Amino acid sequence: MAWKMVRISPNNWNWRYHWSSQSLRDFLPLHYYHSTHFPSTVILNSIITPISLITKGFSTVSLAMENPKATAHKEFPLGLDEWTEEEYAVQSKLLQQFTNISNIDKAWIFNSDNGVSQGMFSISQPDVLANKRRKFILSSTISKESNGSVRFQWAPFPIAMSGVSTMVSSPSGSKLLVVRNPESEGPCRFEIWSQSHVEKEFHVAQSVHGSVYTDGWFEGISWNSDETSIAYVAEEPTPAKPAFNGLGYKKGGSTDNDTGSWKGQGDWEEEWGETYAGKRQPALFVINITSGEVQAVKGIDKSLSVGQVVWAPSTKGLEQYLVFVGWSFVIRKLGIKYCYNRPCALYAVKAPHHNESQANKTDIHCADVAQLKMSRHLTLHKPLIVLSFHGSDGKFLVFLSARSSVDSGAHSATNSLHRIDWSSDMKMSQSRKVYDVLAVVMCAEDGCFPGLYCFSILSSPWLSDGYTMIISSIWNSSQVLLSVNVLSGEVFCITPTDSNFSWNLLSLDGNNILAVSSSPVDVPQVKYGVIVEKENDNNEWSWSDVSDPIFKCSDEVRSLTSSLKFSVMKISVKDASVSPMKGAHKPYETIFVSSKAKKSDTCDPLIVILHGGPHTTSLTSFSKSLAFLSALGYSLLIVNYRGSLGFGEEALQSLLGKIGSQDVKDVLNAIDHVINLGLASPSKIAVLGGSHGGFLTTHLIGQAPEKFVAAAARNPVCNLALMVGTSDIPDWCYAETYGTMGSERFTEAPSAEDLTQFYSKSPISHISKVKTPTLLLLGAQDLRVPVTNGLQYARALREKGVQHKVIVFPNDVHGIERPQSDFESFLNIGVWFKKYCK
């Protein structure tokens, strides 16, 4: 043995002892050796004093008086050594430069009569020091030149928007609602802004409602047409809890200021899972912006969680109605984040009148709230997402249906788009005919529209013709912009077809489009699109770059990304004969990122990147974290295995019931493809994935243990048999294990047969073969794949003696997205791969 013990005595003498084989048990008190692991350097305070005892069993004893500064032992932070610390210093500087790149969250364009528009951009940037995101507003004047070009004149500096939860402009663009949710138990603040100042500010107490939902799911804030009222979704007020004092139960409860009593917990309430811990039931409210009066919309069944509210068009003098989505549950609230297969329906409710007498304010009956009567049942168990009413006079309501998700059990699938004709004087009792605008595409021909994969929409996505809407949708491995004629069902891709860049829709400027375009190696670029009229109404879109200060990056980042290139590869399927579906036989895609520099003798190390879901997609868009890894000198193989969105419903459904086999084979097939092309060395391959991507990562190092020199997994699914009893989405385990039969088998009490099947599908069933050094990054507050999954796998690796490292982020959920956690996560990934790949 080569253990070294150091004692720093009060008079600065250094006592060094080097022992051979005798155990520490002979010299240390019990509390020093009950652990099975000893540090390489042990600092002893005064537990050994007699020289004779010290010398017993040691091969060498030395006593020297030295300069303590010259011999002081350097202590490294937990988990670091000298090499790792140096890599931390180098890589963190580069990662910080990528992290500093801003992002456009939202944009508004306000039109004027003189051909000049005003643009307002909501921008965010990670603030790693404060561990939150900075939010600010940057304005621009948009001028259309006589030659058809457009010029953006930006404000010199952005304006910080501290504490702002969300902003929503009024239909005319003359007012802006700013919502500031409380960080503790204070009131929710509503501010009504005009062009130059705050016109009104209202504070809504917690006894009325909690925070306004701004989650992108239940979120819904809608101005009425005359801009006097705003409907929105907020948390219900906290229910009364049982109170107790020194004599026992206290009737009548207690107040927060009552120091002589305390509140109990009361009954446990179901929540909507991941990211909704501690959030109360979403409910519907209306605020009058003249008086500040807030009313809860009455008559909605307590079993419904409401969201995505919009005002129905109405005629002056007639009743006003609100249309919203209502999610219901029977046994429990299953996790809803990223899960589009949760039962919901469209509802309409009569809006409260703010000029009613107090006695009549709550006189709204349940009969006034009803599912919209439709000619076909696209309601209960056929999830819907309200998109938009067209115009103040109505015309029609369009909405998405996620019926494919419900029917198959997949958490996300191919959408369909529908239209309901709607007039402003239509009665709620009238039946509404539902028209199919875009149906689910099962299997598209090469180069044709693969189906609709749209998950966000502008509040006003309409062109001036009154029937064309502009939306974003996934098309294979890219996100594109589509124009959809909601009367004829015609759909066109309006972004350039000669590039594999991805596009994100920001706003419409009349009939023109403001968007962002990027690629894995190109920092986002603001684009402005105008229609170029052609003969036979075959119009095209012309796109120009907008010089903007938003996506500025350092010279080093610009230089590093400019030295990279990317391509989209189609990979032929090897085992499609086992599937009867045509879509399962079609090629899938990978995105390959590499250096432009040609190297004749060697290949850069390869990192295989695997997305989660599994029914999501890795897009050809810019990712700061992946660009950072590319800049370190790695090639990236980003695999969209069968089951990913964007390739038709049959390809997606082909994975259900085959996780851990079909997806694993697709990834190995893609790796072999680039090796055979001479683009990767088989001896320098690492793998990285999160969630289901972590499931694949840990499967791959078990099923192909010789293939990978390093692995990193973020909140991985390692043991379905453990996850099914602890996750907010146990139904996911059944759907992905049993396929379309999963919904029939789903139960909160899995059978022994189920648990055996779950285990056999899990990476931990291959743990005995794993030898790859593995980094595990875990969020302690993860409700989707609870931290116990990753910790069990890590302990199994330790038991086998496999090199591994575990970092647990105590306040993070499934995404590990808090700025400090995201930074530390990818810094450690970079260092880990450098240690084993280079």
Side-chain angles (χ1 to χ4, degrees):
M1 297 180 66
W3 293 82
K4 179 175 69 176
M5 298 195 300
V6 180
R7 178 182 186 269
I8 309 298
S9 67
N11 57 1
N12 289 330
W13 286 67
N14 264 354
W15 298 54
R16 283 197 177 87
Y17 312 105
H18 304 272
W19 73 85
S20 53
S21 59
Q22 188 151 347
S23 171
L24 261 179
R25 290 179 184 271
D26 292 349
F27 308 105
L28 301 185
L30 179 64
H31 68 274
Y32 267 83
Y33 62 74
H34 66 71
S35 173
T36 57
H37 299 281
F38 293 103
S40 59
T41 301
V42 182
I43 306 298
L44 304 180
N45 290 324
S46 55
I47 60 172
I48 303 175
T49 49
I51 294 295
S52 59
L53 177 61
I54 293 173
T55 59
K56 180 182 177 182
F58 286 85
S59 58
T60 305
V61 180
S62 63
L63 178 62
M65 187 174 184
E66 302 174 4
N67 183 342
K69 292 184 179 180
T71 61
H73 174 71
K74 179 178 180 180
E75 292 190 14
F76 294 99
L78 185 64
L80 301 189
D81 53 26
E82 186 172 0
W83 178 88
T84 306
E85 187 176 58
E86 182 60 29
E87 283 299 313
Y88 260 47
V90 173
Q91 293 193 27
S92 63
K93 291 179 181 178
L94 179 60
L95 179 57
Q96 187 65 59
Q97 294 180 58
F98 280 96
T99 301
N100 286 340
I101 300 173
S102 297
N103 184 66
I104 300 177
D105 299 326
K106 199 172 183 180
W108 302 263
I109 295 181
F110 304 99
N111 296 311
S112 58
D113 297 331
N114 58 2
V116 177
S117 304
Q118 297 295 324
M120 190 169 74
F121 296 79
S122 175
I123 301 169
S124 63
Q125 179 191 37
D127 183 352
V128 180
L129 283 177
N131 204 20
K132 58 185 180 182
R133 294 190 70 83
R134 297 186 184 96
K135 293 183 179 181
F136 40 94
I137 292 289
L138 184 63
S139 298
S140 177
T141 300
I142 307 170
S143 304
K144 287 84 172 179
E145 306 295 338
S146 57
N147 61 1
S149 63
V150 63
R151 183 167 60 91
F152 281 65
Q153 186 173 351
W154 298 91
F157 299 103
I159 304 299
M161 299 295 286
S162 177
V164 173
S165 301
T166 190
M167 298 179 293
V168 181
S169 65
S170 65
S172 69
S174 62
K175 296 182 177 69
L176 180 71
L177 168 67
V178 175
V179 178
R180 301 179 191 269
N181 282 326
E183 293 187 358
S184 55
E185 293 301 313
C188 185
R189 294 164 55 190
F190 290 75
E191 300 167 3
I192 308 298
W193 289 61
S194 66
Q195 189 174 15
S196 61
H197 64 285
V198 177
E199 289 186 349
K200 300 283 183 65
E201 181 172 350
F202 307 109
H203 290 199
V204 182
Q206 291 277 330
S207 58
V208 178
H209 64 65
S211 294
V212 173
Y213 270 89
T214 59
D215 60 332
W217 194 278
F218 296 112
E219 178 179 357
I221 301 176
S222 179
W223 290 76
N224 66 351
S225 58
D226 61 7
E227 302 185 356
T228 58
S229 296
I230 300 171
Y232 59 95
V233 179
E235 295 181 53
E236 288 184 339
T238 304
K241 301 290 182 70
F244 303 88
N245 57 24
L247 300 177
Y249 178 70
K250 182 180 179 182
K251 292 184 178 181
S254 66
T255 64
D256 293 336
N257 298 325
D258 187 353
T259 58
S261 64
W262 55 278
K263 292 182 180 180
Q265 294 301 313
D267 288 358
W268 173 72
E269 292 182 283
E270 287 273 7
E271 298 169 336
W272 283 109
E274 174 71 11
T275 73
Y276 290 99
K279 298 284 284 184
R280 300 192 293 279
Q281 177 92 340
L284 192 53
F285 298 86
V286 174
I287 184 171
N288 182 300
I289 66 168
T290 301
S291 65
E293 179 186 23
V294 175
Q295 292 191 51
V297 178
K298 304 296 182 181
I300 300 175
D301 192 283
K302 291 293 184 183
S303 67
L304 286 181
S305 293
V306 306
Q308 304 180 27
V309 61
V310 291
W311 290 86
S314 63
T315 300
K316 190 172 183 179
L318 296 181
E319 296 285 359
Q320 286 190 304
Y321 281 83
L322 298 166
V323 177
F324 63 92
V325 182
W327 284 266
S328 59
F329 70 98
V330 180
I331 303 300
R332 65 173 284 186
K333 292 179 180 176
L334 293 166
I336 202 168
K337 188 77 170 181
Y338 312 120
C339 295
Y340 297 87
N341 56 339
R342 302 300 177 226
C344 64
L346 281 176
Y347 293 82
V349 60
K350 189 170 71 173
H353 293 287
H354 286 277
N355 57 356
E356 289 180 315
S357 65
Q358 187 69 31
N360 293 328
K361 278 181 182 176
T362 59
D363 191 22
I364 297 177
H365 304 286
C366 291
D368 294 312
V369 183
Q371 289 186 28
L372 293 183
K373 294 183 179 180
M374 302 183 187
S375 59
R376 287 184 290 120
H377 290 290
L378 289 172
T379 50
L380 196 60
H381 300 295
K382 309 293 186 294
L384 308 159
I385 301 176
V386 173
L387 297 187
S388 178
F389 274 106
H390 177 268
S392 60
D393 58 346
K395 288 191 178 179
F396 34 74
L397 170 69
V398 293
F399 59 90
L400 287 169
S401 173
R403 177 173 181 170
S404 295
S405 291
V406 172
D407 291 347
S408 66
H411 66 90
S412 185
T414 313
N415 294 324
S416 55
L417 184 67
H418 306 272
R419 183 188 89 240
I420 301 174
D421 289 345
W422 193 297
S423 62
S424 57
D425 58 353
M426 180 174 274
K427 302 293 186 293
M428 289 299 109
S429 59
Q430 292 179 243
S431 179
R432 288 159 172 78
K433 185 174 181 180
V434 178
Y435 298 91
D436 295 335
V437 178
L438 295 176
V440 171
V441 175
M442 299 304 294
C443 181
E445 296 301 322
D446 292 345
C448 295
F449 176 59
L452 187 61
Y453 304 91
C454 174
F455 304 102
S456 64
I457 203 74
L458 297 180
S459 58
S460 182
W462 304 100
L463 298 185
S464 61
D465 60 16
Y467 51 79
T468 301
M469 63 187 306
I470 307 297
I471 57 178
S472 301
S473 184
I474 299 171
W475 188 310
N476 296 161
S477 296
S478 299
Q479 182 165 275
V480 301
L481 304 186
L482 302 176
S483 70
V484 180
N485 184 322
V486 299
L487 298 180
S488 68
E490 289 182 302
V491 57
F492 298 100
C493 177
I494 61 174
T495 42
T497 57
D498 58 351
S499 99
N500 287 316
F501 281 47
S502 280
W503 294 68
N504 184 40
L505 181 62
L506 291 179
S507 184
L508 299 186
D509 184 12
N511 282 334
N512 301 328
I513 299 175
L514 191 66
V516 169
S517 174
S518 70
S519 84
V521 300
D522 293 276
V523 174
Q525 169 69 56
V526 177
K527 298 277 191 174
Y528 194 84
V530 298
I531 297 177
V532 179
E533 295 184 0
K534 299 286 186 179
E535 294 182 2
N536 301 323
D537 294 328
N538 189 21
N539 296 335
E540 295 180 357
W541 287 79
S542 174
W543 297 93
S544 58
D545 291 347
V546 174
S547 178
D548 73 271
I550 298 172
F551 298 111
K552 294 295 184 184
C553 57
S554 69
D555 292 340
E556 183 177 8
V557 167
R558 187 72 68 180
S559 174
L560 288 168
T561 55
S562 66
S563 69
L564 302 171
K565 61 182 179 179
F566 85 101
S567 62
V568 177
M569 301 177 176
K570 290 192 177 294
I571 310 295
S572 298
V573 175
K574 285 188 174 180
D575 63 343
S577 58
V578 301
S579 176
M581 293 183 286
K582 180 181 176 182
H585 296 244
K586 298 184 77 66
Y588 56 99
E589 291 184 348
T590 66
I591 305 164
F592 186 70
V593 182
S594 61
S595 172
K596 290 179 180 177
K598 292 184 178 180
K599 301 176 182 178
S600 57
D601 56 337
T602 185
C603 296
D604 288 331
L606 178 71
I607 303 177
V608 181
I609 308 292
L610 304 171
H611 67 70
H615 310 298
T616 56
T617 310
S618 290
L619 296 173
T620 57
S621 57
F622 187 76
S623 162
K624 292 187 284 187
S625 52
L626 297 188
F628 160 70
L629 295 177
S630 298
L632 292 177
Y634 298 96
S635 295
L636 305 183
L637 183 67
I638 307 168
V639 186
N640 283 320
Y641 44 85
R642 283 173 294 163
S644 303
L645 300 178
F647 296 87
E649 186 63 16
E650 286 186 353
L652 185 147
Q653 290 193 23
S654 71
L655 181 57
L656 291 169
K658 301 187 185 77
I659 58 167
S661 54
Q662 177 178 295
D663 44 5
V664 169
K665 291 176 183 176
D666 282 354
V667 175
L668 292 173
N669 188 23
I671 295 172
D672 290 341
H673 181 79
V674 294
I675 291 175
N676 293 336
L677 290 175
L679 301 175
S681 168
S683 63
K684 294 187 292 183
I685 301 175
V687 59
L688 164 64
S691 192
H692 186 83
F695 171 88
L696 280 174
T697 296
T698 47
H699 251 304
L700 286 160
I701 61 177
Q703 293 192 41
E706 306 297 335
K707 199 87 170 179
F708 305 96
V709 296
R714 290 162 52 99
N715 283 328
V717 178
C718 300
N719 186 352
L720 289 165
L722 175 61
M723 176 181 168
V724 72
T726 56
S727 172
D728 66 330
I729 53 167
D731 61 317
W732 180 91
C733 300
Y734 281 86
E736 299 298 340
T737 298
Y738 290 106
T740 54
M741 299 297 294
S743 58
E744 297 179 12
R745 296 188 63 103
F746 173 52
T747 173
E748 293 287 351
S751 65
E753 179 187 355
D754 290 337
L755 294 174
T756 300
Q757 185 71 357
F758 292 148
Y759 184 84
S760 70
K761 292 274 188 179
S762 300
I764 202 165
S765 66
H766 300 279
I767 193 71
S768 63
K769 296 173 285 184
V770 175
K771 57 181 70 175
T772 305
T774 303
L775 170 66
L776 293 164
L777 304 151
L778 310 173
Q781 305 304 315
D782 187 352
L783 299 181
R784 182 90 357 133
V785 185
V787 67
T788 49
N789 239 259
L791 290 178
Q792 182 192 45
Y793 193 83
R795 288 163 179 150
L797 291 176
R798 181 185 305 166
E799 187 176 61
K800 277 185 48 59
V802 177
Q803 288 288 326
H804 67 284
K805 180 183 178 77
V806 179
I807 300 178
V808 176
F809 301 98
N811 298 311
D812 276 83
V813 294
H814 191 56
I816 313 184
E817 294 173 342
R818 290 157 59 89
Q820 291 177 1
S821 305
D822 181 70
F823 187 93
E824 187 176 0
S825 171
F826 277 94
L827 175 61
N828 276 277
I829 290 169
V831 172
W832 188 258
F833 287 168
K834 176 73 174 291
K835 182 176 182 180
Y836 293 101
C837 292
K838 290 197 171 185

